[in-house]
Amino acid sequence: MTQARLTVTLPDGTWIKDVSTEFPEATFRVLAAMPGEQAGFGLVRITAPDPAAVLEGMDAHEVLTSVDILEGSEDRVLVQFETTRPLLLFSARESGVPIELPMDIQDGDASVDVTASRDRLSVLGEQLETFGLDFEVEFVRERVDSSRLLTDRQRELLVEAVERGYYDTPRRCSVTDLAEAVGCAKSTCSETLHRAEERVVKRFVSDLPDADSELEPEIEQ
């Protein structure tokens, strides 16, 4: 499977583009979203210096048919909404590629994470263009099943190391203690643990937005 992150510039006339550009300091985090036949429904958490002003902008927008406040505080509010122009949701539905949530939108741009085959991602791009959505690809990388990241022995040793406090501060277990606990030579234990750590760390770093794709760990078959 392929994982991609897109920055999608939403078109004028969609409520979240219009309202988020009117209040560029606000962040709209979409927690749930579902397209219907002619409308879209969603749950969004808005963080802003003045949430009340943002809500007034939402209430005044013609494509929002309902805006219900579920909870709020001085700088944050949780809102359930219905819109007649959920173009991003329609694009995802037509391409068969679900958008991973939560999704952040600020100043008219949406940061969209998706996971699908490359063919499906290509169809998603075509659907975004059909609905008038400009986008830039931030990254595309192959997504490796986490169960295949480590060998069985590496996984068992890493779990044992965590449970015995090898990674605690201060450390409660040495490599010697760990080797004795799992019944192997200290050198074997150290090398196996190091290889497991290398894979885990490289996977973590490769998932960072600005990481070099060459850091993606190779998977042993």
Side-chain angles (χ1 to χ4, degrees):
M1 300 294 283
T2 302
Q3 183 180 30
R5 175 169 295 165
L6 314 176
T7 296
V8 180
T9 300
L10 303 172
D12 295 338
T14 55
W15 78 266
I16 204 161
K17 167 61 179 293
D18 296 344
V19 177
S20 67
T21 52
E22 182 181 357
F23 301 95
E25 73 284 358
T27 298
F28 298 76
R29 171 158 288 190
V30 180
L31 304 177
M34 180 180 66
E37 288 300 321
Q38 302 296 329
F41 311 87
L43 193 65
V44 61
R45 176 176 290 122
I46 303 166
T47 303
D50 186 4
V54 178
L55 290 172
E56 288 179 6
M58 293 176 64
D59 285 331
H61 205 285
E62 59 183 7
V63 305
L64 280 171
T65 54
S66 70
V67 178
D68 298 318
I69 302 173
L70 303 184
E71 61 182 40
S73 64
E74 183 178 348
D75 62 352
R76 185 175 297 181
V77 64
L78 183 63
V79 178
Q80 185 174 336
F81 66 88
E82 179 180 344
T83 176
T84 58
R85 295 194 69 199
L87 301 184
L88 191 54
L89 295 181
F90 285 162
S91 300
R93 184 183 65 185
E94 294 302 318
S95 63
V97 178
I99 293 173
E100 298 176 17
L101 299 175
M103 172 179 63
D104 286 342
I105 299 172
Q106 188 170 23
D107 198 14
D109 290 336
S111 180
V112 179
D113 289 333
V114 291
T115 301
S117 67
R118 288 187 175 269
D119 288 343
R120 286 284 188 180
L121 291 177
S122 179
V123 174
L124 174 62
E126 294 171 358
Q127 289 298 323
L128 290 173
E129 293 174 351
T130 298
F131 284 101
L133 301 171
D134 295 329
F135 66 94
E136 293 183 1
V137 179
E138 300 300 328
F139 66 76
V140 177
R141 63 167 65 103
E142 293 303 313
R143 189 170 190 172
V144 179
D145 185 351
S146 60
S147 66
R148 297 177 54 233
L149 181 64
L150 303 176
T151 65
D152 290 344
R153 185 56 173 166
Q154 289 171 345
R155 185 165 52 253
E156 291 170 3
L157 186 58
L158 196 60
V159 170
E160 190 74 24
V162 170
E163 291 179 346
R164 290 184 175 274
Y166 179 77
Y167 295 105
D168 288 359
T169 305
R171 182 169 285 175
R172 296 188 293 109
C173 172
S174 66
V175 173
T176 301
D177 297 332
L178 188 60
E180 291 178 355
V182 298
C184 70
K186 178 180 177 181
S187 59
T188 301
C189 178
S190 178
E191 180 180 357
T192 304
L193 194 60
H194 176 72
R195 288 182 179 275
E197 292 167 343
E198 178 186 10
R199 291 177 178 276
V200 170
V201 171
K202 284 186 175 180
R203 161 57 67 84
F204 174 80
V205 173
S206 71
D207 284 341
L208 298 176
D210 299 327
D212 187 338
S213 60
E214 292 182 0
L215 290 175
E216 184 72 23
E218 295 181 2
I219 306 301
E220 294 182 2
Q221 303 297 326

